[in-house]
Amino acid sequence: MKRWIGVVLAAVLAGVAVVAVVTGNEEDDRPESTVVRGVIGSEKKPFFDDARVRAAFAEHGLRVEVDTAGSRQMVTDVDLSRYAFAFPSSVPAAERIKQDRGASVTYSPFYSPMAVATFEPIAGLLEKLGVLRNSGSGYPIFDITKYLEIVAKGTRWDNIPDNSDYPARKRVLLTTTDVRTSNSAAMYLSMIGYVANGDDVISSDEQIAKIAPILAPAVLDQGFSETESEEAFENYLVQGSGKTPMTVVYEAQYLSHVFTGDGRIRPEMRLVYPSPTVLSKHTLVPLSAPGSRVGELLMKDPELQSLAARYGFRTSDPKAFADLVARTAAPAATALVDVVEPPTWERLDRLITAIDSTRP
């Protein structure tokens, strides 16, 4: 009996040894994990923190770790020598980084139009002012021309006739992030600057000198502004219309919560689209070979592209985004027509400097 017990134990131990060897060989076959550090716009942090995104990178032997900064800060303040890639939220910032760092390529794996997040009672008041109208295509339009007229008059919410929904004693102004640091605010400035410049992209210092005084109240009279877009959007989600009745956002920030159905987008919340709007092309600038690998995977890996769509980003596969919109009945514009280009980094920077110089 003892002899049989010994034989059985020996067989079990041999089996364990075989499993260990096979498992070890499988692990040896996996690519060795390489840590790749990047700096990104804060609105992309939830995507990079997703366990499924980390697993998709791990399949290719990468462990991607990220810090956040305003897209404009990446150009002016961030020590990029610490990172393998920079991932701002616009082409102008990315092109400036590419030029400064001598990069040879960039990657734009997804994009998001600028939008306005507001609330149903506020939407009704904006309709009274002529700022909000129906597009005829199933989504509301925020008229930038009408909005600038309201800003020029200094209209306050409690001046609106028959306004019992939001009689706040403050100016009718969009809330943005800090235009000096954040891309979403710079894209807002691109939209209103286009309209103030006679429906044309700003292309000269003379134009900047002319329109800066017109745009300054829309930027400076907001008061304190957050430095990063994710903080500003969180204020909208948590603090409601009392603090931020209408705020400039990336469409993806809003839709990501609709697509996941996490309950953070409440029934009274509304997503509207500026006319004109700007597409924020999230553009990765590789600063080393591993950074290039991250850019390539974001562009080509089907799993990463699918996950980007779930976070509200529009990718090279329009069907992935359209399917999510249809499945969730998301309030998204399927086809945007009134889209304009932002100015170059240099022109936009000069406009920001001109507006900032008027601060008291």
Side-chain angles (χ1 to χ4, degrees), residues 15-223:
V16 170
V18 168
V19 170
V21 169
V22 170
T23 302
N25 287 339
E26 288 178 351
E27 291 179 352
D28 289 342
D29 290 339
R30 294 173 186 168
E32 186 175 347
S33 184
T34 299
V35 176
V36 187
R37 294 195 60 79
V39 57
I40 65 171
S42 63
E43 70 289 332
K44 292 184 285 290
K45 186 72 158 51
F47 169 76
F48 277 94
D49 283 347
D50 191 302
R52 294 167 298 179
V53 171
R54 293 199 299 269
F57 280 122
E59 285 294 316
H60 298 277
L62 301 180
R63 189 169 87 236
V64 179
E65 299 178 353
V66 294
D67 297 324
T68 62
S71 294
R72 294 184 57 78
Q73 285 180 306
M74 294 183 202
V75 177
T76 59
D77 299 329
V78 175
D79 179 10
L80 295 180
S81 65
R82 300 170 48 215
Y83 299 104
F85 66 89
F87 201 177
S89 305
S90 72
V91 172
E95 286 298 318
R96 182 57 184 266
I97 294 170
K98 177 185 175 184
Q99 176 186 328
D100 290 348
R101 302 294 298 184
S104 58
V105 296
T106 60
Y107 302 91
S108 296
F110 40 73
Y111 67 95
S112 183
M114 302 310 301
V116 174
T118 186
F119 300 85
E120 181 56 38
I122 303 301
L125 295 173
L126 293 173
E127 287 177 4
K128 283 186 177 182
L129 292 172
V131 175
L132 206 64
R133 68 177 192 273
N134 194 305
S135 66
S137 300
Y139 59 92
I141 288 290
F142 187 98
D143 191 315
I144 294 294
T145 301
K146 292 288 187 182
Y147 170 68
L148 287 180
E149 292 173 4
I150 295 298
V151 172
K153 293 175 184 176
T155 302
R156 296 179 181 273
W157 292 105
D158 61 355
N159 295 152
I160 301 173
D162 302 320
N163 173 14
S164 59
D165 292 319
Y166 191 72
R169 293 184 296 173
K170 58 184 180 180
R171 297 271 298 277
V172 179
L173 289 172
L174 285 163
T175 298
T176 72
T177 46
D178 192 329
V179 73
R180 296 167 295 184
T181 61
S182 173
N183 177 71
S184 60
M187 294 299 98
Y188 163 70
L189 188 56
S190 298
M191 294 186 294
I192 63 175
Y194 181 93
V195 172
N197 194 42
D199 289 342
D200 206 358
V201 178
I202 300 162
S203 60
S204 72
D205 290 347
E206 290 75 21
Q207 292 170 346
I208 289 171
K210 181 179 178 180
I211 67 174
I214 300 172
L215 302 179
V219 175
L220 302 182
D221 291 357
Q222 298 176 47

Side-chain angles (χ1 to χ4, degrees), residues 292-323:
S292 288
R293 186 64 178 139
V294 171
E296 291 168 358
L297 289 171
L298 287 170
M299 291 285 292
K300 298 177 182 178
D301 185 83
E303 177 68 6
L304 289 171
Q305 284 273 295
S306 174
L307 289 168
R310 294 184 195 182
Y311 276 91
F313 296 109
R314 300 181 186 231
T315 69
S316 58
D317 177 13
K319 186 177 183 300
F321 182 85
D323 285 350

